[in-house]
Amino acid sequence: MDQEKNPVDLLDEILNRGQEEPRPSSYPPKFDPPLPENEPPPPEQKTPLRERAVPWLCGLLGGAAVTGLLCAVLLTSLNQRLDQLGAAVDEIRAVDELREENERLLQENADLQAEVDEQSSQLSQHSFEQAYRYQRMVYRMRQSEYLYYMEQFVEQDDLSMAALVMVLEDGILRPPGEDEPERIVFGGAMPSPLGSIQQERYDEVRQLLEEKGVLSSSGMTKKNGTTPLWPPGTGPSEDPAMAVLGILWCAMDQYYVRENLNAATQFLVDTPLNTPDGRGLLYRSGRTVTLYHQLVASLSVEGCLREEADTSLAWNPVYGHTDEGYNLPFELPPLPWGPN
């Protein structure tokens, strides 16, 4: 059995057969006459359809492949571009969200800052009012204490010390009147005038001191009174004995009233009171010397000072006192001595 032929070969064979003229088997072979010289050559035999279709199909398939490849490349590029555009849109959206969040945070910060400023203003006002009220309370307490000391000195017949308290603490005991210049005080607070009972006590002591000639007579024509004055030559800026007593009162005021140990010790150690002549003037004043020794003993217990063998006073080395200077509320008179 013959091997089966390829369908394409069979198609070519059939086509070729169709082109050939049928020759009856009964006729003898016929020979074609020679072609005339002027006749055109016989037509060439056509290329088989298979051979003609293959290049066309190859070109078509190649073009389709190239087109498909180009489309794939374009599609890939388009997808990448779309991805990039999507990412850009997401970034823009994220930037917009961040901008909105930033604006919201800025507004919240501005609101919080305004609230903080308001609270700070209220706190400052409250702190100022608190400091003002506190200072007024301190002044009232000092007024009571100074009245107490003046009355005690009067009862002990120590009129000079009572007069020193009245004059040196005049700014607290007797606030300025309407026709007097205001005094500059801490925190803008001014001492309140004495109450009615306190004013009676003050007037009583002052009238006694003026009657005894310790202070100059003012006439007491005003409810607030006038500034107490020393008779000529008797004040702490003119009389050395009164200057020593004035230094002692300043030390007592700093220790017992203001509770400033450093200032109290300085007035006892670094002034003419801490000299033999100064202590000699103090010892002649009677009971005042007892107040001096009580104060020295208290500051010694506090560890601020120590007493030397010659009865002079010195800073205690273990006490960490500061170098801040405290001024006396009066000018010292010309003295024949100075501090040790």
Side-chain angles (χ1 to χ4, degrees):
M1 184 176 183
D2 294 338
Q3 186 177 3
E4 293 183 359
K5 294 182 180 182
N6 192 322
V8 178
D9 295 337
L10 290 176
L11 178 62
D12 292 339
E13 184 178 351
I14 293 171
L15 293 174
N16 291 332
R17 286 180 182 179
Q19 293 177 357
E20 295 180 358
E21 295 181 358
R23 293 178 182 271
S25 60
S26 61
Y27 290 97
K30 183 180 180 179
F31 296 95
D32 295 332
L35 296 173
E37 294 180 359
N38 293 331
E39 291 183 2
E44 295 180 358
Q45 189 176 0
K46 293 182 179 181
T47 306
L49 180 60
R50 178 171 177 266
E51 294 180 1
R52 287 185 287 113
V54 168
W56 183 81
L57 290 174
C58 291
L60 181 61
L61 292 175
V66 171
T67 302
L69 180 60
L70 180 60
C71 290
V73 172
L74 292 176
L75 183 60
T76 302
S77 176
L78 180 60
N79 289 333
Q80 292 177 350
R81 181 60 178 168
L82 290 175
D83 292 340
Q84 292 176 355
L85 289 176
V89 170
D90 292 339
E91 291 180 357
I92 293 173
R93 185 181 297 111
V95 169
D96 291 340
E97 292 176 355
L98 289 175
R99 184 180 295 109
E100 293 176 358
E101 180 67 14
N102 184 54
E103 292 176 356
R104 185 183 65 82
L105 292 176
L106 288 175
Q107 184 61 41
E108 289 183 358
N109 183 63
D111 294 341
L112 289 175
Q113 185 63 43
E115 184 177 353
V116 168
D117 293 341
E118 182 179 359
Q119 294 292 336
S120 178
S121 177
Q122 293 178 358
L123 181 60
S124 299
Q125 181 65 25
H126 179 72
S127 299
F128 176 80
E129 292 175 356
Q130 288 291 98
Y132 185 86
R133 286 195 293 267
Y134 172 77
Q135 191 61 28
R136 293 293 292 266
M137 180 184 67
V138 169
Y139 286 144
R140 288 194 295 269
M141 292 176 60
R142 289 183 182 175
Q143 287 174 339
S144 297
E145 291 184 86
Y146 293 150
L147 283 172
Y148 167 79
Y149 277 107
M150 286 193 300
E151 291 171 339
Q152 289 296 310
F153 288 138
V154 169
E155 288 182 6
Q156 298 164 6
D157 201 27
D158 197 343
L159 302 184
S160 295
M161 287 295 290
L164 281 167
V165 176
M166 180 169 288
V167 174
L168 299 182
E169 310 303 339
D170 181 58
I172 303 296
L173 289 168
R174 196 192 56 82
E178 296 179 357
D179 57 346
E180 295 179 280
E182 293 186 356
R183 305 179 183 96
I184 299 176
V185 292
F186 172 78
M190 291 292 294
S192 300
L194 297 174
S196 58
I197 297 178
Q198 291 178 323
Q199 189 67 50
E200 291 178 3
R201 294 166 55 192
Y202 175 89
D203 292 343
E204 183 179 352
V205 173
R206 184 166 179 176
Q207 289 174 358
L208 174 63
L209 295 176
E210 292 179 353
E211 290 174 359
K212 297 292 184 179
V214 181
L215 292 178
S216 296
S217 177
S218 61
M220 300 295 291
T221 57
K222 296 182 181 179
K223 179 179 179 181
N224 190 51
T226 57
T227 303
L229 299 175
W230 300 101
T234 62
S237 296
E238 300 177 287
D239 184 4
M242 189 63 74
V244 170
L245 294 179
I247 295 172
L248 176 60
W249 166 248
C250 290
M252 292 176 62
D253 177 38
Q254 293 293 336
Y255 181 76
Y256 294 113
V257 180
R258 303 175 187 266
E259 298 181 352
N260 188 337
L261 306 184
N262 199 66
T265 305
Q266 178 180 305
F267 287 141
L268 293 182
V269 174
D270 299 333
T271 62
L273 177 59
N274 193 26
T275 61
D277 292 333
R279 288 191 296 273
L281 290 174
L282 184 65
Y283 291 155
R284 301 176 200 165
S285 59
R287 178 170 171 75
T288 306
V289 69
T290 304
L291 299 175
Y292 170 78
H293 288 299
Q294 289 176 350
L295 181 58
V296 169
S298 298
L299 290 173
S300 298
V301 172
E302 297 283 358
C304 301
L305 54 74
R306 64 182 182 183
E307 192 169 0
E308 304 291 354
D310 61 352
T311 69
S312 64
L313 303 178
W315 287 97
N316 191 344
V318 299
Y319 176 69
H321 73 279
T322 64
D323 294 332
E324 181 180 1
Y326 299 91
N327 297 322
L328 292 170
F330 56 88
E331 296 290 335
L332 289 173
L335 301 174
W337 66 79
N340 289 340

